[in-house]
Amino acid sequence: MATSSLTISFALLALCLMIDTSSAQLSPDFYSKSCPKVFEAVGSVIQSAVSKEKRMGASLLRLHFHDCFVNGCDGSILLDDTPSFTGEKTAGPNNNSVRGFNVIDDVKSKVEKVCPGVVSCADILAISALESVLALGGPSWKVKLGRRDSKSASLSAANSGVIPPPQSTLSNLINRFQAVGLSAKDMVALSGAHTIGQARCTVFRARVHTDTNIDASFAKSRQSNCPLTAGSGDNNLAPLDVKTPNNFDNSYYKDLINQQGLLRSDQQLHNGGSTDSLVEQYSKNPGSFHVDFAAAMINMGDIRPLTGSNGEIRKNCRKVNS
């Protein structure tokens, strides 16, 4: 009897270990021996790129986000189309929108010189996101590493709605984040990434011309750069944070309280719903925002990574190894 109980206990333990060991295998020290200078190599390229164009910091942070939400943090967003699959770059949330691929190429090239064949493109995205936030004055966090790269990408997965669109309701935002294991608190903190970067007229046109939960003078100033007629000024840009678009601070949350969220999905976070109090907390306490953002970035980096013998370490981030 004791033996059978022991057997069952071991079986249950094995099952628990099988359920999700992938994120547990990630570690901040993963490259401490195999590539100890990886952060130095990545950071030098990112700092140079962001100093040339502040917006690039936001773009690189967004690449990591859009990668992780589609089939996990596996570097799939970086893959160019091939005869055997259409990648994620032309999906609705990404087409004419995600950018920074050339910078990732430069980072990969630098890292390959330091330690060839060791660091995955998925991990390069994760480190680049950290270095981008740091370059714009934001918080630090211990990036967990050890991801491997996918051997394919999926246009249909990227188009399936897993990436919340800019017209999202609060419930849709909460549900989309919960679907990948992130809480409503994670969602509000990660949305604070919109304290940097810019958006195209196509994604905020409806908001500034038709919404009522918007500051009138703010709406008018944005309408001048984004006419109501579709096709007119579609690619004109506006900052997501009206006050300090190149500083990683808590101004985004102050904007929301003033009904100056550029995207409809942004303003949903402070619109009489369950997340109002968190927005108000972050608007008054930048330290609280920084702590929660850092924790949420670590949580996001844990979304379904490929580890162990799964995937590969790509030589070129744009294509699978031949």
Side-chain angles (χ1 to χ4, degrees), residues 37-218:
K37 294 188 176 178
V38 62
F39 282 90
E40 188 181 315
V42 176
S44 64
V45 178
I46 299 301
Q47 285 164 19
S48 174
V50 174
S51 68
K52 289 174 189 165
E53 185 198 3
K54 298 292 187 187
R55 183 187 173 206
M56 187 54 70
S59 298
L60 295 171
L61 176 58
R62 190 161 174 255
L63 266 184
H64 182 40
F65 171 74
H66 279 225
D67 180 45
C68 289
F69 266 62
V70 181
N71 293 331
C73 308
D74 61 359
S76 58
I77 196 169
L78 302 173
L79 289 170
D80 289 338
D81 296 348
T82 73
S84 59
F85 67 79
T86 303
E88 298 164 21
K89 292 180 177 179
T90 56
N94 298 333
N95 196 33
N96 297 318
S97 179
V98 291
R99 57 196 294 275
F101 296 108
N102 291 339
V103 176
I104 296 298
D105 290 340
D106 292 343
V107 173
K108 178 65 171 173
S109 177
K110 182 78 175 275
V111 171
E112 285 296 298
K113 286 176 185 171
V114 175
C115 37
V118 173
V119 183
S120 68
C121 298
D123 278 348
I124 280 173
L125 280 177
I127 300 171
S128 295
L130 166 70
E131 296 293 343
S132 294
V133 170
L134 289 173
L136 294 172
S140 183
W141 59 93
K142 287 194 176 295
V143 183
K144 289 162 69 174
L145 301 166
R147 300 170 194 82
R148 289 167 67 84
D149 297 321
S150 67
K151 297 179 183 180
S152 66
S154 174
L155 178 71
S156 59
N159 272 330
S160 67
V162 291
I163 299 171
Q167 313 301 334
S168 295
T169 61
L170 180 60
S171 61
N172 179 245
L173 289 169
I174 291 171
N175 290 340
R176 289 301 175 203
F177 277 73
Q178 282 182 342
V180 293
L182 298 173
S183 67
K185 183 179 181 180
D186 288 329
M187 182 271 291
V188 177
L190 289 170
S191 297
H194 285 179
T195 189
I196 53 175
Q198 302 185 60
R200 292 184 306 141
C201 166
T202 50
V203 300
F204 65 83
R205 174 180 279 126
R207 161 91 175 129
V208 301
H209 283 281
T210 64
D211 286 6
T212 54
N213 61 341
I214 189 169
D215 176 79
S217 60
F218 172 73

Side-chain angles (χ1 to χ4, degrees), residues 78-80 82 312 314-322:
L78 302 173
L79 289 170
D80 289 338
T82 73
E312 63 182 13
R314 278 187 228 137
K315 297 184 183 78
N316 179 336
C317 289
R318 292 176 179 265
K319 59 184 183 180
V320 299
N321 296 340
S322 52

